[in-house]
Amino acid sequence: MRGALADDAQSARALVERHREAVYRLARSATGDAEEAFDITQEAFVAAFAALHRYDPARPFRGWIAAIALNKCRDHARRRAVRRFLGLPLPDNAADWVADHAPLPETVAADRAELAATARAIAALPSSLKDVLILRTIEGLSQDDTAQTLGISAKAVETRLYRARQKLTEAMRDKPRSRV
């Protein structure tokens, strides 16, 4: 981090390499779209390095970059909503983008249809619940780190995580199960 703050390209590259997969997983989980997640990951790092002078070294870099990535996910969601409002349809094969050819270890046993349904259900959660669910469950941040990243209390993290899991369970229960 010190090197990146001093404009050392090698240090900046090392930071990207250390955190890019976590940022990508977070964006992928938030959007349910692999290509959009790739774009968001790039945008998050560009924004992070542009604002590096505002980084507080007392906070973990992982939480800081996660907050930036979540903001980029929200920006993309707003743009997507505007595109839908304007009637610009997604390509016919957009549903195929959700399938991940290299799923996380926790999802290896799940079939593609179940994985796609889960990703869509997570992406459909309200951002206040989705962000907590992703940071705590998928990214493995502690309750305190999640609270600090989102600027809420640890108790609010606990409550939102409980609600997110309830809504996700309900959404998955209501989805018909199909096999690919």
Side-chain angles (χ1 to χ4, degrees):
M1 178 47 77
R2 286 186 203 103
L5 285 167
D7 290 330
D8 175 37
Q10 285 292 93
S11 298
R13 186 174 299 118
L15 272 176
V16 170
E17 288 175 4
R18 185 176 307 135
H19 297 284
R20 71 178 169 212
E21 287 183 30
V23 171
Y24 174 80
R25 280 193 317 268
L26 187 146
R28 177 100 176 19
S29 298
T31 63
D33 184 316
E35 288 185 28
E36 192 169 322
F38 181 75
D39 292 342
I40 289 169
T41 300
Q42 289 180 333
E43 289 178 24
F45 279 106
V46 168
F49 285 109
L52 207 52
H53 64 281
R54 293 193 321 244
Y55 171 69
D56 176 9
R59 288 181 64 192
F61 183 79
R62 182 176 179 185
W64 188 68
I65 191 72
I68 291 170
L70 287 172
N71 284 333
K72 294 298 176 186
C73 289
R74 289 185 196 111
D75 291 345
H76 272 260
R78 280 191 290 273
R79 281 188 287 238
R80 191 178 332 116
V82 168
R83 280 194 305 268
R84 266 191 238 125
F85 179 74
L86 295 175
L88 300 175
L90 289 172
D92 290 339
N93 66 343
D96 297 343
W97 299 349
V98 176
D100 187 0
H101 300 293
L104 297 173
E106 297 83 11
T107 59
V108 169
D111 64 19
R112 286 185 181 174
E114 191 71 20
L115 181 60
T118 302
R120 284 191 303 273
I122 290 171
L125 288 172
S127 65
S128 63
L129 302 180
K130 175 174 47 179
D131 296 348
V132 170
L133 179 72
I134 291 169
L135 291 175
R136 286 286 289 132
T137 306
I138 297 172
E139 291 305 313
L141 263 60
S142 70
Q143 187 164 325
D144 290 336
D145 286 346
T146 301
Q148 188 176 24
T149 298
L150 297 175
I152 60 177
S153 70
K155 185 63 177 171
V157 169
E158 184 180 331
T159 302
R160 289 180 185 184
L161 182 60
Y162 175 78
R163 289 181 182 157
R165 287 177 174 160
Q166 275 186 318
K167 285 192 173 284
L168 190 58
T169 300
E170 289 170 11
M172 295 307 294
R173 192 176 319 142
D174 294 341
K175 301 267 185 222
R177 294 183 184 222
S178 62
R179 299 284 174 196
V180 174

